[in-house]
Amino acid sequence: MKALISVDMEGISGIVHSSETNPERYDYQRGRELMTAEANAVIAGVLDAEPTADVLVADAHGTFRNLLPEQLDRRARLVRGKPRALNMLAGLDEETDAALFVGYHVRAGEGPGVLAHTMNGEILDVRVTGRSLGEIGLNAAMAGHLGVPVVLLSGDDAACAEAADLIPEAVTVPVKEALGMAAAVTLHPEEARDRLRRAAADAVSRRREIPPLSLTGPLDVEVDLASPHTIDLATLVPGVSRTAGARTVAFTAPDYGTAYRLILLLAQLATIRPA
């Protein structure tokens, strides 16, 4: 059995502020330790259910160099650094039996949700065939494109609700109740880890009962961008055009894998500043 654990940071228990998620801020080291401990709880849960499982952990926050390798459960392998294929899902393939999303957050514009955003502050919304998707939906659909079910998601209550709407059968673990963008009522980290370990074991045991999220092509995609400069860059990509909306670019993809990669490219273009 092969499992991929994708670990973001904003949805980790105890984390409520960018000072805990940004490498340039004073409380980042503490955030890294909390993130690594929750990853270890989920690794342990997977291996409780499947002791011989091949467990791959994808560091999926910011630089993708946040998890502390020396503190990570030695029974798992770690994917870190960027750029890399499939971004937050690096290591996922058709042979993967289950994906688990840890520390995820609600999409941009929703809430209250702790540190809500979609990929970066420049992506205001992504709509696939008219449905607004954040990182939860975009990544779950990419897993589904490869036939892989997302069996577990943890984060604040808003993130868990977003996941339940997309994948009702998945196990969700709310580790905090969002009060706003930078405030929450949070579980004690040890309590959160205990719940995550039990939930991961349960989710992996029920993986055959949880269907992959499937979005079949062709797919019409719209992306709302904050910066006019990013829109100018986006229209240089073949097939991407401006729409009537001042902030929106659009394209049609033959399948979800193509759509996902184009969305990732637009997110990367959004980080380029005018010369």
Side-chain angles (χ1 to χ4, degrees):
M1 184 261 175
K2 180 179 178 181
L4 178 81
I5 304 171
S6 173
V7 190
D8 206 350
M9 203 170 189
E10 289 86 356
I12 298 296
S13 176
I15 288 180
V16 298
H17 194 274
S18 61
S19 66
E20 298 158 325
T21 64
N22 187 329
E24 298 178 359
R25 302 294 293 276
Y26 74 96
D27 222 5
Y28 170 66
Q29 184 62 27
R30 174 176 167 275
R32 299 180 76 187
E33 291 171 357
L34 291 170
M35 179 186 185
T36 304
E38 286 203 6
N40 282 339
V42 176
I43 294 167
V46 171
L47 293 171
D48 287 344
E50 294 281 350
T52 62
D54 177 15
V55 181
L56 201 59
V57 178
D59 190 321
H61 173 73
T63 62
F64 295 168
R65 301 191 310 273
N66 309 278
L67 291 167
L68 298 166
E70 68 276 13
Q71 293 185 19
L72 197 70
D73 191 318
R74 65 187 299 169
R75 296 173 294 176
R77 293 177 295 141
L78 174 62
V79 185
R80 69 193 308 258
K82 63 174 24 176
R84 64 197 194 194
L86 295 189
N87 203 48
M88 295 174 74
L89 299 179
L92 189 81
D93 58 26
E94 293 89 344
E95 302 303 315
T96 306
D97 296 289
L100 301 91
F101 293 173
V102 179
Y104 270 54
H105 52 81
V106 75
R107 67 184 185 272
E110 291 298 306
V114 175
L115 298 171
H117 66 278
T118 299
M119 296 188 176
N120 54 49
E122 297 295 322
I123 304 291
L124 303 178
D125 192 23
V126 179
R127 294 177 296 281
V128 180
T129 60
R131 183 168 194 174
S132 181
L133 297 176
E135 291 169 33
I136 295 170
L138 294 171
N139 289 330
M142 186 62 222
H145 179 68
L146 297 176
V148 181
V150 176
V151 300
L152 175 138
L153 179 133
S154 72
D156 67 19
D157 55 330
C160 289
E162 186 173 314
D165 183 54
L166 291 163
I167 319 158
E169 300 86 356
V171 176
T172 58
V173 185
V175 299
K176 53 194 172 189
E177 177 188 350
L179 300 178
M181 187 69 170
V185 179
T186 180
L187 294 177
H188 188 284
E190 291 181 3
E191 175 64 23
R193 293 166 205 159
D194 288 345
R195 295 186 188 190
L196 282 167
R197 182 168 182 167
R198 293 192 298 268
D202 177 47
V204 166
S205 297
R206 297 197 294 107
R207 64 187 181 274
R208 295 179 182 86
E209 303 168 19
I210 303 171
L213 178 61
S214 179
L215 300 180
T216 57
L219 298 165
D220 294 326
V221 180
E222 294 178 309
V223 181
D224 295 342
L225 299 164
S227 169
H229 177 67
T230 305
I231 295 172
D232 292 341
L233 291 174
T235 57
L236 298 176
V237 179
V240 177
S241 61
R242 299 174 189 265
T243 71
R247 295 183 180 272
T248 306
V249 296
F251 62 88
T252 299
D255 55 61
Y256 187 77
T258 302
Y260 184 78
R261 288 171 173 83
L262 271 172
I263 293 165
L264 294 181
L265 175 59
L266 294 179
Q268 188 62 37
L269 291 177
T271 67
I272 301 173
R273 296 293 175 260

